[in-house]
Amino acid sequence: DVKNRNEKICAYLDFPLNKTDILEDFRNNAAELYKIKEGIDVLKRDSFVTISGIHIHGFASPEGPYMNNKRLAEGRTAALKDYISDQYDFPDSLFTTNYTPEDWEGVGRLLRDSVFKNSNEWLRIVESDLAPDQKEQRLRKRYSRQLSKWFPALRRSECTIKYVVRPFTLEEARIVFHSQPKNLSIEEMFRIAQTLPEGSQQYMNVFKAAVLYHPENPVANLNAACIALMQGDVVSAEKYLLRAPDSKEK
């Protein structure tokens, strides 16, 4: 099977007011750009993988006029794409981009994860059919101080590096299991388990990793349920069995 994987990196880049140019020495940009470059470099150094795509999604916060935020989100997304292109010899066809002018979904997530007075009233405004600028105006009338703390956290760029992992021999799979287990297929993990003493700690660790990295796989969930029962953990066993389809083995 083709093993497609994604590595998502979230960078919080700062830009001068109303600008879209990336300045490496501006505020904390050097560290944020390093996160992206390190993520790409790790994959480029890995002889087992091939980078197949880079998707950049830029987000602006709902602060200020919508049309200006649209311009900034689009321009800053393009700027990051150009920055990465300048650092590496990737073909232009490797890149895809998207942008969100105002991250109202992010505001909703912050609200649901917070406990404070009037949060339901906030949500009603955020999830309403009002135009973006009207939403911001209504929130600012009552919650200006809180918004000034939240909005900067919504300005970000998400860089998703897509890559393909080549198949492994059994010996390679054993090595990769201890360094990058997410790069193993479910079949490669099962092959490792078959070489280990049944019921040993190593044997159980392989099946635990299989369900961790392949949580939707029915066989992985059945095996994990068996391991949990062997360890007397009926709570985990039930969780794994609920994910597995009906069968004689279940």
Side-chain angles (χ1 to χ4, degrees):
D1 292 341
V2 177
K3 294 182 289 183
N4 293 304
R5 300 289 188 269
N6 294 327
E7 185 74 28
K8 181 178 282 188
I9 304 164
C10 192
Y12 293 88
L13 297 172
D14 284 313
F15 294 83
L17 184 65
N18 283 326
K19 299 293 184 182
T20 60
D21 300 327
I22 292 178
L23 304 178
E24 289 190 66
D25 57 353
F26 188 63
R27 295 182 181 168
N28 200 42
N29 282 355
E32 295 299 305
L33 291 168
Y34 176 80
K35 287 195 300 188
I36 294 175
K37 289 189 286 188
E38 178 65 10
I40 294 173
D41 290 343
V42 166
L43 293 174
K44 281 179 65 69
R45 290 194 296 265
D46 192 334
S47 60
F48 295 140
V49 311
T50 301
I51 295 176
S52 58
I54 298 177
H55 181 71
I56 300 168
H57 192 140
F59 294 82
S61 70
E63 186 171 24
Y66 179 88
M67 292 309 296
N68 189 50
N69 288 333
K70 180 178 183 295
R71 177 185 68 83
L72 292 175
E74 184 176 14
R76 290 170 178 178
T77 299
L80 181 56
K81 183 243 180 188
D82 291 342
Y83 176 85
I84 296 173
S85 294
D86 290 342
Q87 301 293 313
Y88 301 93
D89 58 351
F90 294 137
D92 195 64
S93 59
L94 202 68
F95 291 89
T96 56
T97 61
N98 197 4
Y99 62 92
T100 298
E102 296 190 353
D103 187 15
W104 286 103
E105 283 189 16
V107 177
R109 283 195 304 273
L110 289 171
L111 278 168
R112 293 184 190 92
D113 292 342
S114 304
V115 179
F116 64 92
K117 189 177 179 181
N118 297 328
S119 60
N120 288 333
E121 186 178 350
W122 277 55
L123 266 175
R124 281 195 294 273
I125 298 173
V126 168
E127 296 176 348
S128 71
D129 294 329
L130 291 170
D133 289 345
Q134 290 178 303
K135 290 182 185 181
E136 187 201 357
Q137 289 167 9
R138 289 201 180 185
L139 290 173
R140 279 204 175 279
K141 284 181 181 178
R142 306 172 190 176
Y143 313 112
S144 181
R145 182 180 298 179
Q146 188 65 43
L147 292 178
S148 64
K149 296 178 182 178
W150 280 9
F151 280 169
L154 298 172
R155 302 174 200 135
R156 67 197 186 280
S157 296
E158 292 181 352
C159 180
T160 302
I161 310 163
K162 303 175 182 180
Y163 60 99
V164 179
V165 186
R166 73 162 174 80
F168 298 121
T169 66
L170 179 58
E171 289 306 313
E172 288 172 338
R174 285 172 170 160
I175 296 170
V176 172
F177 180 77
H178 294 290
S179 58
Q180 289 283 352
K182 67 181 179 179
N183 285 343
L184 294 171
S185 69
I186 196 78
E187 291 79 12
E188 287 165 338
M189 289 192 179
F190 289 165
R191 290 212 318 267
I192 294 172
Q194 289 169 359
T195 68
L196 299 169
E198 188 171 345
S200 67
Q201 188 60 53
Q202 288 177 305
Y203 178 87
M204 292 189 285
N205 287 345
V206 172
F207 284 113
K208 287 179 180 178
V211 79
L212 175 65
Y213 293 106
H214 304 277
E216 304 305 319
N217 186 279
V219 178
N221 279 286
L222 285 172
N223 286 330
C226 289
I227 296 299
L229 289 172
M230 288 170 62
Q231 297 178 316
D233 184 356
V234 294
V235 174
S236 294
E238 181 182 28
K239 177 184 72 174
Y240 296 131
L241 285 171
L242 287 172
R243 294 181 190 167
D246 289 336
S247 64
K248 182 177 67 174
E249 291 79 9
K250 179 174 177 176

